[in-house]
Every structure is written in structure tokens, then in C-alpha cells.
């Protein structure tokens, strides 16, 4: 058995930034998916960095970011925030995420790993419309991702089994599980229930940061489904290129959210993927991401 509370504490440490200069923050790096920084970590920390510079407590309503380089988990990430606008309702921030690399002479070279523009605005009344929440089996009727791994671990190459079985920091229940080792071609559409239980009451900024963190799981893989390949397919090079997110309504990530995902096109070694988060019948956030999916050999 694993200590889930310890995983939650690590998530909270991930979004706890240190201010090192005015409008400059440092975030600790963790091993979430391997030697490269998990895109969800950078998204979450960038949201937190921007929110720390607001003069008023406003939730984020949209963000648009680009992953420019693979980050090193052995180094912290520095977030430089630029104030673009502060109006009566809307505030805009530009966030640049930086790490440093030494050249042969020992000089530190700045490496931009991620850049984002985010807009913040208070919740207010007004015109309100949404589509109906998709109908899927409820989470209590589904098997957890961690339990499903037990069915496939025997097919995973021995050097990868320990990492394959590592528990996620986000509890996930796939609606229609897919064989991660020998996938069949299928319609590029999938849905997961997810939550971060034992998180407790948290500010809106942390809730939004952790939803952005969670949104980077499974989304880029949706574009692989129609081709019958997975992240374990030999010769596959896959990575997130960009990520946009719109927050529509309040939510509580302690409770189950439905993450409905689909891909409508893949071309030129890239796939465009879309997602919606639902809770208690409400559409709470929309996500879009383009992913690199280059198959060699």
C-alpha cells in the first residue's frame, strides 16, 4: 500500500512557490513522469506565479501556453511574471519559465522551457448556457487506474515495470480502459473520472493550478488512439507542444470530476486534442492541446 497523503503533500509543495525577487518566483521540480519535467507541473506553477502578482484576488478564466523545451527535474524552475494589464475586471499576466544550463566554459545559459499568457477576472452574473453533461458510468462502478495496471504489468518490459506501477498523485478511473501495451485502433475519444482526495479546503488559485496539472494526463494520448499505438510503442516520440485552458464555473477537485476527451485530427506528426471537465452537471473547464506524435522506424 502507498501513502496517498504523502502524494498529496508533494502536490501542495509543487504549487508552493518561493518569491526570489519582485515578480520572480522559484518552483521545486519533482519526478512525475521521468527525467523531464511533467508539463502539468509547469502549468500549475505558472498559474500560481501569475496569481501571486495580482492586486486583487481574481480567479483565472483563461490561459494559453507553449512548452518550448523539456525541463530538467533535477533543477528548480524560475518564473518571471510580466504585468500586461490591470483593468477594473480583467488582469493579464505573461509568465516565462526558465532553467539554466552550463556551457563548456562553465557559463550559465538561460533556457526558456515554457511561456504563458493568462487572464484573470472575478466571477460575475450574466448570460449562462452550456450543453448537457455527457452520460457515462459513475466512478463508483469503475475500477481505478492503479488496479487496472495489475492486469497489464506482466506485459510491460521488466526495466519499465517499477515506474509503470508507481501510483499517480491524481486518483483516476478510466471509463473505458485501454490496453496500454497492445492497444487496438479505436475512435479517438476517452473519458476519465478524477479527483485529488484528502486535499482539503484550498484557495481558488490552488484548485485551478491542480486542475491544470491533472489536465495534462491522458490528453495528448487521445490522438494516438485511432492509430493503435500508445506511449509504450517502440519508436514513438511524443510530447506536449501547447496547452490552453478556460475556467467556466467553480469546482472542488476533492470531489470527482469527469474529464471527457477527444481528438478530431492528426497530421504532420501532430495531433489536436480537446477536453472538458464536468462536475455535478456543470461544465467547469475546457482544455485544448496539440501534441507531437512522431513514429520512427
Amino acid at each position: 500500500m502507498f501513502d496517498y497523503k504523502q502524494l498529496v503533500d508533494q502536490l501542495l509543495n509543487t504549487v508552493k512557490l518561493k518569491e526570489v525577487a519582485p515578480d520572480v518566483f522559484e518552483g521545486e521540480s519533482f519526478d512525475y513522469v521521468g527525467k523531464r519535467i511533467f508539463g502539468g507541473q509547469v502549468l500549475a506553477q505558472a498559474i500560481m506565479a501569475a496569481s501571486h502578482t495580482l492586486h486583487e484576488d481574481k480567479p483565472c478564466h483563461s490561459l494559453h501556453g507553449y512548452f518550448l523545451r523539456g525541463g530538467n527535474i533535477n533543477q528548480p524552475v524560475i518564473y518571471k511574471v510580466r504585468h500586461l494589464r490591470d483593468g477594473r475586471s480583467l488582469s493579464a499576466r505573461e509568465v516565462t519559465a526558465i532553467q539554466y544550463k552550463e556551457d563548456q566554459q562553465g557559463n550559465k545559459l538561460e533556457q526558456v522551457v515554457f511561456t504563458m499568457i493568462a487572464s484573470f477576472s472575478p466571477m460575475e452574473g450574466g448570460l449562462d448556457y452550456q450543453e448537457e453533461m455527457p452520460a457515462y458510468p459513475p466512478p463508483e462502478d469503475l475500477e481505478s487506474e492503479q488496479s487496472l495496471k495489475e492486469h497489464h504489468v506482466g506485459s510491460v518490459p521488466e526495466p519499465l515495470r517499477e515506474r509503470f506501477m508507481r501510483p499517480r498523485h491524481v486518483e483516476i478511473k478510466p471509463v473505458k480502459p485501454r490496453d496500454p501495451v497492445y492497444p487496438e485502433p479505436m475512435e479517438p475519444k476517452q473519458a476519465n473520472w478524477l479527483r485529488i482526495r484528502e486535499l482539503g479546503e484550498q484557495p481558488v488559485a490552488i484548485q485551478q493550478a491542480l486542475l491544470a496539472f491533472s489536465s495534462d494526463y491522458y490528453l495528448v494520448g487521445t490522438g494516438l488512439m485511432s492509430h493503435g499505438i500508445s506511449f509504450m510503442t517502440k519508436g514513438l516520440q511524443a510530447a506536449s507542444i501547447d496547452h490552453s485552458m478556460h475556467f467556466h464555473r467553480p469546482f472542488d477537485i476533492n470531489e470527482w470530476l469527469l474529464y471527457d476527451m477527444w481528438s478530431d485530427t492528426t497530421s504532420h506528426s501532430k495531433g489536436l486534442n480537446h477536453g472538458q471537465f464536468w462536475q455535478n452537471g456543470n461544465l467547469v473547464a475546457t482544455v485544448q492541446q496539440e501534441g507531437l506524435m512522431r513514429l520512427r522506424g
Side-chain angles (χ1 to χ4, degrees):
M1 289 293 293
F2 59 90
D3 185 351
Y4 187 76
K5 184 64 169 64
Q6 186 177 7
L7 297 179
V8 171
D9 288 344
Q10 188 180 84
L11 273 179
L12 290 175
N13 285 333
T14 298
V15 296
K16 185 179 180 180
L17 306 184
K18 178 172 67 175
E19 187 170 9
V20 295
D23 296 333
V24 181
F25 303 87
E26 181 180 282
E28 191 175 353
S29 296
F30 294 94
D31 177 3
Y32 285 111
V33 294
K35 63 182 180 180
R36 288 191 171 188
I37 293 176
F38 176 46
Q41 173 194 307
V42 184
L43 279 167
Q45 292 178 336
I47 291 174
M48 294 305 299
S51 69
H52 286 325
T53 68
L54 297 173
H55 306 308
E56 301 175 41
D57 188 16
K58 300 176 182 179
C60 180
H61 71 87
S62 68
L63 63 88
H64 302 263
Y66 276 89
F67 300 99
L68 303 178
R69 291 180 176 85
N72 183 350
I73 61 168
N74 297 312
Q75 296 179 18
V77 182
I78 303 299
Y79 296 89
K80 296 182 178 181
V81 183
R82 182 183 173 202
H83 296 236
L84 300 182
R85 183 178 190 271
D86 278 304
R88 284 186 296 178
S89 60
L90 294 169
S91 293
R93 296 291 185 269
E94 180 184 63
V95 184
T96 305
I98 295 165
Q99 288 191 309
Y100 294 91
K101 182 179 181 180
E102 285 192 1
D103 62 15
Q104 294 181 341
Q105 287 73 40
N107 301 311
K108 282 191 173 183
L109 305 177
E110 185 177 280
Q111 303 277 298
V112 177
V113 298
F114 176 77
T115 184
M116 178 184 84
I117 292 181
S119 184
F120 299 79
S121 176
M123 294 282 185
E124 58 182 278
L127 302 174
D128 194 293
Y129 167 79
Q130 65 168 48
E131 295 182 346
E132 289 291 321
M133 179 175 173
Y136 288 111
E140 54 267 22
D141 292 348
L142 301 172
E143 197 170 351
S144 71
E145 179 194 52
Q146 193 63 30
S147 175
L148 289 166
K149 289 179 182 180
E150 299 283 354
H151 306 323
H152 302 288
V153 66
S155 303
V156 175
E158 181 66 38
L160 302 179
R161 288 181 186 175
E162 183 178 354
R163 175 165 290 278
F164 177 78
M165 291 304 298
R166 282 179 57 182
R168 292 225 202 257
H169 293 66
V170 179
E171 187 178 0
I172 296 174
K173 288 191 173 185
V175 170
K176 188 177 181 181
R178 183 176 181 235
D179 188 329
V181 186
Y182 302 110
E184 295 291 330
M186 61 181 66
E187 182 184 8
K189 182 176 175 60
Q190 60 181 333
N192 295 333
W193 290 95
L194 61 83
R195 66 179 178 180
I196 305 175
R197 55 185 173 87
E198 299 184 32
L199 184 64
E201 188 174 346
Q202 298 293 338
V204 172
I206 289 181
Q207 290 263 359
Q208 292 186 329
L210 292 180
L211 191 68
F213 176 96
S214 305
S215 71
D216 205 31
Y217 285 126
Y218 279 83
L219 187 57
V220 74
T222 311
L224 304 176
M225 296 174 67
S226 60
H227 304 283
I229 58 179
S230 75
F231 291 111
M232 291 192 178
T233 299
K234 188 176 180 180
L236 176 68
Q237 180 188 7
S240 304
I241 297 174
D242 63 3
H243 198 105
S244 68
M245 196 162 185
H246 290 80
F247 298 95
H248 309 300
R249 296 173 178 86
F251 61 91
D252 183 0
I253 204 169
N254 286 278
E255 306 297 331
W256 288 112
L257 290 119
L258 176 68
Y259 191 16
D260 193 31
M261 295 164 278
W262 67 94
S263 175
D264 47 21
T265 183
T266 62
S267 61
H268 303 288
S269 298
K270 300 175 190 69
L272 185 62
N273 310 287
H274 313 268
Q276 291 180 328
F277 281 101
W278 298 82
Q279 189 171 66
N280 300 324
N282 295 318
L283 177 60
V284 301
T286 300
V287 186
Q288 182 169 287
Q289 184 183 80
E290 188 172 43
L292 179 70
M293 38 187 291
R294 186 175 290 134
L295 196 59
R296 303 182 183 278

